[in-house]
Amino acid sequence: MVTPALTVRQLADQHGPTLDKALEALRTREYWSPHPEHPKAYGADGTPGAAEGKAAFDALLGTRFPLEQPGTDDWTGGETSPYGVELGITYPHADADVLLPAMRDAMPAWRDAGPKARAVVCLEILARINARSHEFAHAVMHTSGQAYPMAFQAGGPHAQDRGLEAVATAYAEQTRTPATAVRWTKPQGKRDPLELTKEFTAVPRGVALVIGCNTFPTWNGYPGLFASLATGNAVLVKPHPRAVLPLALTVRTARETLAEAGFDPDLIALAAEREGEGVARSLALRPEVRVIDYTGSTAFGDWLEANARQAQVFTEKAGVNTVVVDSTDDYRGMLANLAFSLSLYSGQMCTTPQNLLVPRDGIRTDAGHKSYDEVVADLAAAVDALLGDDARAAALLGALVNPGVVERLDAAPGLGEVALASRPVPHPEFPDATVRTPALLTLDAARYADAPQDAPYLSECFGPVSFAVAVDSTADAVELLRRTVRERGAMTVGAYTTDPETARLIEEACLEECAQLSLNLTGGVYVNQTAAFSDFHGSGGNPAANAALCDAAFVANRFRMVEVRRQA
């Protein structure tokens, strides 16, 4: 028998304090992160710094990605960076009939190791990923189009935080029931008591399938991946064809760690697909697949929920995020906050606000009354000021992730009156990158009073397109908000008001329609950003997503408690 290079005891000693702090952070919901988010924090302590991370990324270009896993029958690839760089990396293509049985065979020992062992091994995987955050940042940047600072933070430490959050939540839920009830005794009066011993084991469902997205492959992928692994399931990672590398690096790191800790590396594997193969659909229906995590279009998410009946399906789909603008005591701060929210990563975030509902008669502000037209014009000016310098604009906007976003942006002027036209921005380093500023359109809700289903703003227009919608009153804005969330879903809702009663009505609407609300953000926190251990991403209670990252419901259905009773 080969002695593992890492023992569970060693990992528990090393990562136990981090797990304890994560559990405490979940309890208090206070800010906490073990992963520094500043790039300069890496490199000085022996971890790879910026230069080493870039060199590691460059060394992967044009190569076969080394990943030893069962069932490899071919090699496939084809990623091209949104910045115009052809990655030229090929990945093993797997025969599911060979790979899935191997993954199931790996599960019993992982199940028997128990929640604590699984948690600390997962924390070791995350620690190794964290040490290579610069390499991962380049992988995320050149598959998603995020600018490097955002790719580093969101694709690195923030994604790692979400993974750790999932591990801690999974550990808490699995240990809620004790492993043993040493002696269960029921008194029987004059007769001898009934006595049993009982054991309780958290049993995984089976193979978990993670279907990755193009825009945030790690941030959206890690919660499901680590929640399933920490609850004893094997995990098959099916990346988006345009964003394979970040998740391939994750799988390789996890396989190496599992093997060193004495577990079968086939507990996690990669399912890269050939062009047009559509492997997610066939994998989702495999009887071995018992958990599915998906981020992407509503159409395929709905299909998964309806057809993958053998699996517990967690989906994040499309939504129409809305901001109600009633009044503000910091007009400049509101405009600056909204301008940044609309611009960050070219609006290619599932949390980016799309609809800004503004009363037709205008709003009250600390700068006096502002008409609807003034609010729109001032917001357009704030976006222009934010993105006026091309180098700053490129660093904030990143590149458009795929041609579909470009097509929607080009078609946007036909949906309303253009208040702010999108313009191309030259990238100082990557001349082939497609970088565009946001477009802001004006629409009047009254125009669609007789046919509200035809309103362009009631459908998601993913990318840098937003609508300033004129409404009769704030009350009408709240009703439109309700309808939008109920029928189309929303990952985020924002509102600006100085009136406590209006704030109460908006809050009540979000409570009833189950949407996460941010009120009066005027500083450095934005409606499209959430923090692990404190904020919930999505609610699971409206059509945008059937799960929240990360609550107890997100992990508890990934395992079942099985009891063994014995006569004492």
Side-chain angles (χ1 to χ4, degrees), residues 37-84:
E37 65 179 3
H38 198 288
K40 291 184 178 179
Y42 298 82
D45 58 353
T47 59
E52 292 87 352
K54 178 65 163 58
F57 169 76
D58 288 343
L60 293 169
L61 302 180
T63 67
R64 279 190 171 184
F65 190 86
L67 192 65
E68 298 294 332
Q69 60 182 38
T72 298
D73 58 12
D74 197 1
W75 292 82
T76 184
E79 294 158 294
T80 296
S81 167
Y83 292 95

mmCIF file of all heavy atoms in Angstrom, residues 37-84:
data_model
loop_
_atom_site.group_PDB
_atom_site.id
_atom_site.type_symbol
_atom_site.label_atom_id
_atom_site.label_comp_id
_atom_site.label_asym_id
_atom_site.label_seq_id
_atom_site.Cartn_x
_atom_site.Cartn_y
_atom_site.Cartn_z
ATOM 1 N N GLU A 37 -7.030 39.685 -1.956
ATOM 2 C CA GLU A 37 -7.542 40.014 -3.274
ATOM 3 C C GLU A 37 -6.641 40.951 -4.062
ATOM 4 O O GLU A 37 -6.907 41.230 -5.227
ATOM 5 C CB GLU A 37 -8.945 40.618 -3.171
ATOM 6 C CG GLU A 37 -9.003 41.953 -2.458
ATOM 7 C CD GLU A 37 -10.419 42.516 -2.405
ATOM 8 O OE1 GLU A 37 -11.354 41.844 -2.870
ATOM 9 O OE2 GLU A 37 -10.577 43.626 -1.892
ATOM 10 N N HIS A 38 -5.549 41.410 -3.440
ATOM 11 C CA HIS A 38 -4.630 42.293 -4.167
ATOM 12 C C HIS A 38 -3.534 41.457 -4.831
ATOM 13 O O HIS A 38 -2.891 40.626 -4.189
ATOM 14 C CB HIS A 38 -3.997 43.312 -3.225
ATOM 15 C CG HIS A 38 -3.404 44.488 -3.952
ATOM 16 N ND1 HIS A 38 -2.245 44.399 -4.693
ATOM 17 C CD2 HIS A 38 -3.835 45.767 -4.080
ATOM 18 C CE1 HIS A 38 -1.969 45.570 -5.235
ATOM 19 N NE2 HIS A 38 -2.919 46.417 -4.878
ATOM 20 N N PRO A 39 -3.290 41.661 -6.117
ATOM 21 C CA PRO A 39 -2.284 40.846 -6.820
ATOM 22 C C PRO A 39 -0.900 40.877 -6.193
ATOM 23 O O PRO A 39 -0.163 39.888 -6.254
ATOM 24 C CB PRO A 39 -2.264 41.460 -8.230
ATOM 25 C CG PRO A 39 -3.614 42.078 -8.392
ATOM 26 C CD PRO A 39 -3.988 42.584 -7.035
ATOM 27 N N LYS A 40 -0.531 42.007 -5.559
ATOM 28 C CA LYS A 40 0.808 42.121 -4.987
ATOM 29 C C LYS A 40 0.986 41.272 -3.730
ATOM 30 O O LYS A 40 2.118 41.142 -3.231
ATOM 31 C CB LYS A 40 1.114 43.583 -4.686
ATOM 32 C CG LYS A 40 1.278 44.438 -5.938
ATOM 33 C CD LYS A 40 1.681 45.859 -5.605
ATOM 34 C CE LYS A 40 1.877 46.691 -6.876
ATOM 35 N NZ LYS A 40 2.260 48.098 -6.567
ATOM 36 N N ALA A 41 -0.105 40.704 -3.220
ATOM 37 C CA ALA A 41 0.007 39.840 -2.046
ATOM 38 C C ALA A 41 0.608 38.484 -2.396
ATOM 39 O O ALA A 41 0.921 37.700 -1.502
ATOM 40 C CB ALA A 41 -1.362 39.653 -1.398
ATOM 41 N N TYR A 42 0.767 38.218 -3.672
ATOM 42 C CA TYR A 42 1.251 36.911 -4.112
ATOM 43 C C TYR A 42 2.662 37.054 -4.683
ATOM 44 O O TYR A 42 2.949 37.982 -5.439
ATOM 45 C CB TYR A 42 0.313 36.326 -5.166
ATOM 46 C CG TYR A 42 -1.084 36.098 -4.614
ATOM 47 C CD1 TYR A 42 -1.991 37.147 -4.539
ATOM 48 C CD2 TYR A 42 -1.473 34.857 -4.141
ATOM 49 C CE1 TYR A 42 -3.266 36.964 -4.005
ATOM 50 C CE2 TYR A 42 -2.739 34.651 -3.613
ATOM 51 C CZ TYR A 42 -3.625 35.715 -3.545
ATOM 52 O OH TYR A 42 -4.878 35.533 -3.008
ATOM 53 N N GLY A 43 3.525 36.132 -4.305
ATOM 54 C CA GLY A 43 4.892 36.132 -4.823
ATOM 55 C C GLY A 43 5.932 36.353 -3.757
ATOM 56 O O GLY A 43 7.016 35.778 -3.802
ATOM 57 N N ALA A 44 5.629 37.180 -2.754
ATOM 58 C CA ALA A 44 6.622 37.495 -1.738
ATOM 59 C C ALA A 44 6.850 36.342 -0.767
ATOM 60 O O ALA A 44 7.912 36.227 -0.174
ATOM 61 C CB ALA A 44 6.178 38.743 -0.959
ATOM 62 N N ASP A 45 5.855 35.472 -0.607
ATOM 63 C CA ASP A 45 5.952 34.385 0.376
ATOM 64 C C ASP A 45 6.309 33.052 -0.265
ATOM 65 O O ASP A 45 6.073 31.987 0.305
ATOM 66 C CB ASP A 45 4.631 34.259 1.135
ATOM 67 C CG ASP A 45 3.456 33.998 0.199
ATOM 68 O OD1 ASP A 45 3.670 34.056 -1.025
ATOM 69 O OD2 ASP A 45 2.351 33.739 0.693
ATOM 70 N N GLY A 46 6.851 33.095 -1.466
ATOM 71 C CA GLY A 46 7.217 31.860 -2.147
ATOM 72 C C GLY A 46 6.179 31.356 -3.114
ATOM 73 O O GLY A 46 6.448 30.425 -3.881
ATOM 74 N N THR A 47 4.974 31.940 -3.081
ATOM 75 C CA THR A 47 3.955 31.572 -4.064
ATOM 76 C C THR A 47 4.282 32.254 -5.382
ATOM 77 O O THR A 47 4.987 33.271 -5.413
ATOM 78 C CB THR A 47 2.553 32.009 -3.595
ATOM 79 O OG1 THR A 47 2.550 33.423 -3.405
ATOM 80 C CG2 THR A 47 2.177 31.316 -2.300
ATOM 81 N N PRO A 48 3.798 31.720 -6.491
ATOM 82 C CA PRO A 48 4.086 32.339 -7.792
ATOM 83 C C PRO A 48 3.539 33.766 -7.868
ATOM 84 O O PRO A 48 2.379 34.021 -7.541
ATOM 85 C CB PRO A 48 3.374 31.412 -8.781
ATOM 86 C CG PRO A 48 3.236 30.116 -8.057
ATOM 87 C CD PRO A 48 3.047 30.472 -6.626
ATOM 88 N N GLY A 49 4.374 34.680 -8.283
ATOM 89 C CA GLY A 49 3.956 36.057 -8.457
ATOM 90 C C GLY A 49 3.441 36.305 -9.853
ATOM 91 O O GLY A 49 3.172 35.367 -10.620
ATOM 92 N N ALA A 50 3.322 37.591 -10.206
ATOM 93 C CA ALA A 50 2.742 37.954 -11.490
ATOM 94 C C ALA A 50 3.542 37.385 -12.663
ATOM 95 O O ALA A 50 2.972 36.845 -13.608
ATOM 96 C CB ALA A 50 2.638 39.471 -11.590
ATOM 97 N N ALA A 51 4.864 37.514 -12.613
ATOM 98 C CA ALA A 51 5.696 37.046 -13.724
ATOM 99 C C ALA A 51 5.625 35.525 -13.866
ATOM 100 O O ALA A 51 5.505 34.993 -14.979
ATOM 101 C CB ALA A 51 7.139 37.489 -13.525
ATOM 102 N N GLU A 52 5.659 34.816 -12.727
ATOM 103 C CA GLU A 52 5.599 33.359 -12.773
ATOM 104 C C GLU A 52 4.231 32.882 -13.274
ATOM 105 O O GLU A 52 4.130 31.899 -14.008
ATOM 106 C CB GLU A 52 5.874 32.776 -11.390
ATOM 107 C CG GLU A 52 7.300 32.968 -10.896
ATOM 108 C CD GLU A 52 7.500 34.300 -10.184
ATOM 109 O OE1 GLU A 52 6.572 35.143 -10.209
ATOM 110 O OE2 GLU A 52 8.583 34.497 -9.615
ATOM 111 N N GLY A 53 3.177 33.585 -12.857
ATOM 112 C CA GLY A 53 1.835 33.221 -13.316
ATOM 113 C C GLY A 53 1.677 33.398 -14.813
ATOM 114 O O GLY A 53 1.098 32.541 -15.495
ATOM 115 N N LYS A 54 2.200 34.501 -15.328
ATOM 116 C CA LYS A 54 2.138 34.745 -16.772
ATOM 117 C C LYS A 54 2.960 33.692 -17.524
ATOM 118 O O LYS A 54 2.526 33.177 -18.571
ATOM 119 C CB LYS A 54 2.667 36.134 -17.088
ATOM 120 C CG LYS A 54 2.708 36.498 -18.582
ATOM 121 C CD LYS A 54 1.311 36.558 -19.187
ATOM 122 C CE LYS A 54 1.285 37.312 -20.519
ATOM 123 N NZ LYS A 54 2.155 36.745 -21.531
ATOM 124 N N ALA A 55 4.129 33.354 -17.004
ATOM 125 C CA ALA A 55 4.966 32.349 -17.664
ATOM 126 C C ALA A 55 4.288 30.981 -17.662
ATOM 127 O O ALA A 55 4.346 30.250 -18.662
ATOM 128 C CB ALA A 55 6.323 32.267 -16.965
ATOM 129 N N ALA A 56 3.624 30.640 -16.566
ATOM 130 C CA ALA A 56 2.922 29.356 -16.500
ATOM 131 C C ALA A 56 1.785 29.307 -17.503
ATOM 132 O O ALA A 56 1.554 28.281 -18.157
ATOM 133 C CB ALA A 56 2.398 29.125 -15.088
ATOM 134 N N PHE A 57 1.064 30.411 -17.639
ATOM 135 C CA PHE A 57 -0.010 30.485 -18.621
ATOM 136 C C PHE A 57 0.547 30.367 -20.038
ATOM 137 O O PHE A 57 0.041 29.596 -20.862
ATOM 138 C CB PHE A 57 -0.783 31.787 -18.454
ATOM 139 C CG PHE A 57 -1.733 32.091 -19.578
ATOM 140 C CD1 PHE A 57 -2.941 31.413 -19.686
ATOM 141 C CD2 PHE A 57 -1.412 33.036 -20.547
ATOM 142 C CE1 PHE A 57 -3.819 31.682 -20.730
ATOM 143 C CE2 PHE A 57 -2.280 33.314 -21.590
ATOM 144 C CZ PHE A 57 -3.492 32.629 -21.688
ATOM 145 N N ASP A 58 1.591 31.120 -20.328
ATOM 146 C CA ASP A 58 2.179 31.094 -21.673
ATOM 147 C C ASP A 58 2.674 29.696 -22.036
ATOM 148 O O ASP A 58 2.594 29.278 -23.202
ATOM 149 C CB ASP A 58 3.348 32.083 -21.758
ATOM 150 C CG ASP A 58 2.883 33.537 -21.773
ATOM 151 O OD1 ASP A 58 1.685 33.786 -22.044
ATOM 152 O OD2 ASP A 58 3.712 34.423 -21.497
ATOM 153 N N ALA A 59 3.167 28.970 -21.043
ATOM 154 C CA ALA A 59 3.696 27.625 -21.309
ATOM 155 C C ALA A 59 2.601 26.646 -21.722
ATOM 156 O O ALA A 59 2.899 25.605 -22.326
ATOM 157 C CB ALA A 59 4.426 27.101 -20.071
ATOM 158 N N LEU A 60 1.353 26.964 -21.407
ATOM 159 C CA LEU A 60 0.246 26.089 -21.775
ATOM 160 C C LEU A 60 -0.213 26.295 -23.211
ATOM 161 O O LEU A 60 -0.836 25.400 -23.801
ATOM 162 C CB LEU A 60 -0.946 26.325 -20.835
ATOM 163 C CG LEU A 60 -0.756 25.925 -19.375
ATOM 164 C CD1 LEU A 60 -1.905 26.475 -18.539
ATOM 165 C CD2 LEU A 60 -0.685 24.407 -19.241
ATOM 166 N N LEU A 61 0.065 27.453 -23.767
ATOM 167 C CA LEU A 61 -0.448 27.788 -25.095
ATOM 168 C C LEU A 61 0.111 26.840 -26.147
ATOM 169 O O LEU A 61 1.312 26.539 -26.171
ATOM 170 C CB LEU A 61 -0.102 29.229 -25.447
ATOM 171 C CG LEU A 61 -0.624 30.304 -24.485
ATOM 172 C CD1 LEU A 61 -0.215 31.699 -24.953
ATOM 173 C CD2 LEU A 61 -2.137 30.219 -24.328
ATOM 174 N N GLY A 62 -0.769 26.346 -27.000
ATOM 175 C CA GLY A 62 -0.346 25.482 -28.088
ATOM 176 C C GLY A 62 0.051 24.080 -27.668
ATOM 177 O O GLY A 62 0.739 23.379 -28.414
ATOM 178 N N THR A 63 -0.382 23.643 -26.480
ATOM 179 C CA THR A 63 0.024 22.321 -25.986
ATOM 180 C C THR A 63 -1.191 21.431 -25.749
ATOM 181 O O THR A 63 -2.332 21.882 -25.740
ATOM 182 C CB THR A 63 0.795 22.445 -24.663
ATOM 183 O OG1 THR A 63 -0.088 22.918 -23.635
ATOM 184 C CG2 THR A 63 1.968 23.406 -24.801
ATOM 185 N N ARG A 64 -0.895 20.147 -25.536
ATOM 186 C CA ARG A 64 -1.905 19.234 -25.009
ATOM 187 C C ARG A 64 -1.938 19.393 -23.494
ATOM 188 O O ARG A 64 -0.897 19.279 -22.842
ATOM 189 C CB ARG A 64 -1.575 17.788 -25.389
ATOM 190 C CG ARG A 64 -1.982 17.416 -26.795
ATOM 191 C CD ARG A 64 -1.837 15.914 -27.007
ATOM 192 N NE ARG A 64 -2.424 15.504 -28.277
ATOM 193 C CZ ARG A 64 -2.515 14.255 -28.695
ATOM 194 N NH1 ARG A 64 -2.043 13.278 -27.933
ATOM 195 N NH2 ARG A 64 -3.069 13.966 -29.855
ATOM 196 N N PHE A 65 -3.111 19.623 -22.957
ATOM 197 C CA PHE A 65 -3.233 19.831 -21.517
ATOM 198 C C PHE A 65 -3.038 18.502 -20.804
ATOM 199 O O PHE A 65 -3.805 17.555 -21.018
ATOM 200 C CB PHE A 65 -4.600 20.426 -21.178
ATOM 201 C CG PHE A 65 -4.715 20.895 -19.761
ATOM 202 C CD1 PHE A 65 -4.301 22.172 -19.416
ATOM 203 C CD2 PHE A 65 -5.210 20.063 -18.778
ATOM 204 C CE1 PHE A 65 -4.395 22.609 -18.106
ATOM 205 C CE2 PHE A 65 -5.308 20.492 -17.466
ATOM 206 C CZ PHE A 65 -4.898 21.773 -17.126
ATOM 207 N N PRO A 66 -2.033 18.398 -19.946
ATOM 208 C CA PRO A 66 -1.744 17.113 -19.303
ATOM 209 C C PRO A 66 -2.778 16.791 -18.228
ATOM 210 O O PRO A 66 -2.857 17.463 -17.196
ATOM 211 C CB PRO A 66 -0.353 17.336 -18.696
ATOM 212 C CG PRO A 66 -0.266 18.814 -18.472
ATOM 213 C CD PRO A 66 -1.100 19.459 -19.547
ATOM 214 N N LEU A 67 -3.564 15.764 -18.475
ATOM 215 C CA LEU A 67 -4.610 15.381 -17.529
ATOM 216 C C LEU A 67 -4.873 13.882 -17.705
ATOM 217 O O LEU A 67 -5.580 13.473 -18.629
ATOM 218 C CB LEU A 67 -5.885 16.188 -17.786
ATOM 219 C CG LEU A 67 -6.985 16.112 -16.723
ATOM 220 C CD1 LEU A 67 -6.504 16.719 -15.406
ATOM 221 C CD2 LEU A 67 -8.230 16.847 -17.204
ATOM 222 N N GLU A 68 -4.307 13.077 -16.848
ATOM 223 C CA GLU A 68 -4.471 11.631 -16.946
ATOM 224 C C GLU A 68 -5.789 11.232 -16.296
ATOM 225 O O GLU A 68 -5.942 11.313 -15.081
ATOM 226 C CB GLU A 68 -3.306 10.925 -16.256
ATOM 227 C CG GLU A 68 -1.945 11.204 -16.874
ATOM 228 C CD GLU A 68 -1.814 10.635 -18.287
ATOM 229 O OE1 GLU A 68 -2.489 9.624 -18.569
ATOM 230 O OE2 GLU A 68 -1.043 11.191 -19.069
ATOM 231 N N GLN A 69 -6.742 10.818 -17.103
ATOM 232 C CA GLN A 69 -8.005 10.342 -16.560
ATOM 233 C C GLN A 69 -8.535 9.227 -17.455
ATOM 234 O O GLN A 69 -8.212 9.164 -18.643
ATOM 235 C CB GLN A 69 -9.021 11.485 -16.440
ATOM 236 C CG GLN A 69 -9.376 12.175 -17.745
ATOM 237 C CD GLN A 69 -10.351 13.344 -17.554
ATOM 238 O OE1 GLN A 69 -10.262 14.080 -16.587
ATOM 239 N NE2 GLN A 69 -11.282 13.486 -18.478
ATOM 240 N N PRO A 70 -9.368 8.336 -16.928
ATOM 241 C CA PRO A 70 -9.834 7.188 -17.714
ATOM 242 C C PRO A 70 -10.720 7.610 -18.877
ATOM 243 O O PRO A 70 -11.372 8.652 -18.847
ATOM 244 C CB PRO A 70 -10.650 6.379 -16.692
ATOM 245 C CG PRO A 70 -10.233 6.869 -15.357
ATOM 246 C CD PRO A 70 -9.844 8.302 -15.544
ATOM 247 N N GLY A 71 -10.711 6.779 -19.910
ATOM 248 C CA GLY A 71 -11.661 6.950 -21.000
ATOM 249 C C GLY A 71 -11.280 7.949 -22.052
ATOM 250 O O GLY A 71 -12.100 8.266 -22.923
ATOM 251 N N THR A 72 -10.039 8.466 -22.039
ATOM 252 C CA THR A 72 -9.634 9.436 -23.058
ATOM 253 C C THR A 72 -9.583 8.747 -24.421
ATOM 254 O O THR A 72 -8.851 7.785 -24.615
ATOM 255 C CB THR A 72 -8.266 10.046 -22.720
ATOM 256 O OG1 THR A 72 -8.353 10.754 -21.483
ATOM 257 C CG2 THR A 72 -7.822 11.006 -23.823
ATOM 258 N N ASP A 73 -10.401 9.248 -25.351
ATOM 259 C CA ASP A 73 -10.458 8.634 -26.681
ATOM 260 C C ASP A 73 -10.056 9.585 -27.800
ATOM 261 O O ASP A 73 -10.020 9.198 -28.974
ATOM 262 C CB ASP A 73 -11.858 8.066 -26.949
ATOM 263 C CG ASP A 73 -12.956 9.121 -26.854
ATOM 264 O OD1 ASP A 73 -12.633 10.331 -26.806
ATOM 265 O OD2 ASP A 73 -14.144 8.740 -26.822
ATOM 266 N N ASP A 74 -9.762 10.846 -27.432
ATOM 267 C CA ASP A 74 -9.404 11.837 -28.452
ATOM 268 C C ASP A 74 -8.941 13.097 -27.740
ATOM 269 O O ASP A 74 -8.938 13.167 -26.500
ATOM 270 C CB ASP A 74 -10.631 12.130 -29.335
ATOM 271 C CG ASP A 74 -10.258 12.808 -30.655
ATOM 272 O OD1 ASP A 74 -9.045 13.021 -30.883
ATOM 273 O OD2 ASP A 74 -11.167 13.123 -31.430
ATOM 274 N N TRP A 75 -8.555 14.081 -28.523
ATOM 275 C CA TRP A 75 -8.179 15.388 -27.975
ATOM 276 C C TRP A 75 -8.990 16.458 -28.696
ATOM 277 O O TRP A 75 -9.243 16.347 -29.896
ATOM 278 C CB TRP A 75 -6.683 15.638 -28.142
ATOM 279 C CG TRP A 75 -5.875 14.722 -27.287
ATOM 280 C CD1 TRP A 75 -5.530 13.431 -27.556
ATOM 281 C CD2 TRP A 75 -5.362 15.005 -25.988
ATOM 282 N NE1 TRP A 75 -4.824 12.884 -26.513
ATOM 283 C CE2 TRP A 75 -4.699 13.826 -25.539
ATOM 284 C CE3 TRP A 75 -5.369 16.127 -25.164
ATOM 285 C CZ2 TRP A 75 -4.066 13.765 -24.294
ATOM 286 C CZ3 TRP A 75 -4.742 16.063 -23.932
ATOM 287 C CH2 TRP A 75 -4.096 14.889 -23.504
ATOM 288 N N THR A 76 -9.398 17.471 -27.963
ATOM 289 C CA THR A 76 -10.249 18.493 -28.551
ATOM 290 C C THR A 76 -9.921 19.854 -27.946
ATOM 291 O O THR A 76 -9.411 19.948 -26.834
ATOM 292 C CB THR A 76 -11.746 18.158 -28.337
ATOM 293 O OG1 THR A 76 -12.560 19.115 -29.001
ATOM 294 C CG2 THR A 76 -12.105 18.158 -26.860
ATOM 295 N N GLY A 77 -10.217 20.903 -28.666
ATOM 296 C CA GLY A 77 -9.957 22.262 -28.188
ATOM 297 C C GLY A 77 -10.486 23.278 -29.176
ATOM 298 O O GLY A 77 -11.291 22.952 -30.046
ATOM 299 N N GLY A 78 -10.030 24.494 -29.072
ATOM 300 C CA GLY A 78 -10.476 25.527 -30.000
ATOM 301 C C GLY A 78 -10.771 26.865 -29.359
ATOM 302 O O GLY A 78 -11.381 27.736 -29.985
ATOM 303 N N GLU A 79 -10.319 27.065 -28.103
ATOM 304 C CA GLU A 79 -10.556 28.352 -27.446
ATOM 305 C C GLU A 79 -9.768 29.468 -28.137
ATOM 306 O O GLU A 79 -8.593 29.319 -28.445
ATOM 307 C CB GLU A 79 -10.114 28.297 -25.983
ATOM 308 C CG GLU A 79 -10.923 27.372 -25.101
ATOM 309 C CD GLU A 79 -10.129 26.973 -23.872
ATOM 310 O OE1 GLU A 79 -9.113 26.264 -24.022
ATOM 311 O OE2 GLU A 79 -10.527 27.371 -22.772
ATOM 312 N N THR A 80 -10.451 30.587 -28.333
ATOM 313 C CA THR A 80 -9.800 31.810 -28.808
ATOM 314 C C THR A 80 -10.130 32.920 -27.824
ATOM 315 O O THR A 80 -11.295 33.153 -27.496
ATOM 316 C CB THR A 80 -10.272 32.200 -30.208
ATOM 317 O OG1 THR A 80 -9.876 31.185 -31.134
ATOM 318 C CG2 THR A 80 -9.656 33.523 -30.648
ATOM 319 N N SER A 81 -9.127 33.602 -27.357
ATOM 320 C CA SER A 81 -9.326 34.667 -26.387
ATOM 321 C C SER A 81 -10.162 35.800 -26.973
ATOM 322 O O SER A 81 -9.991 36.174 -28.135
ATOM 323 C CB SER A 81 -7.972 35.228 -25.940
ATOM 324 O OG SER A 81 -8.136 36.444 -25.237
ATOM 325 N N PRO A 82 -11.086 36.383 -26.184
ATOM 326 C CA PRO A 82 -11.771 37.598 -26.631
ATOM 327 C C PRO A 82 -10.816 38.745 -26.934
ATOM 328 O O PRO A 82 -11.211 39.725 -27.567
ATOM 329 C CB PRO A 82 -12.684 37.931 -25.445
ATOM 330 C CG PRO A 82 -12.922 36.624 -24.768
ATOM 331 C CD PRO A 82 -11.617 35.896 -24.898
ATOM 332 N N TYR A 83 -9.573 38.603 -26.505
ATOM 333 C CA TYR A 83 -8.563 39.617 -26.811
ATOM 334 C C TYR A 83 -7.815 39.314 -28.104
ATOM 335 O O TYR A 83 -6.850 39.993 -28.445
ATOM 336 C CB TYR A 83 -7.578 39.729 -25.646
ATOM 337 C CG TYR A 83 -8.215 40.317 -24.411
ATOM 338 C CD1 TYR A 83 -8.738 39.498 -23.417
ATOM 339 C CD2 TYR A 83 -8.333 41.694 -24.236
ATOM 340 C CE1 TYR A 83 -9.348 40.031 -22.291
ATOM 341 C CE2 TYR A 83 -8.937 42.231 -23.118
ATOM 342 C CZ TYR A 83 -9.445 41.398 -22.156
ATOM 343 O OH TYR A 83 -10.059 41.932 -21.048
ATOM 344 N N GLY A 84 -8.251 38.267 -28.818
ATOM 345 C CA GLY A 84 -7.683 37.982 -30.128
ATOM 346 C C GLY A 84 -6.559 36.977 -30.134
ATOM 347 O O GLY A 84 -5.967 36.727 -31.190
#
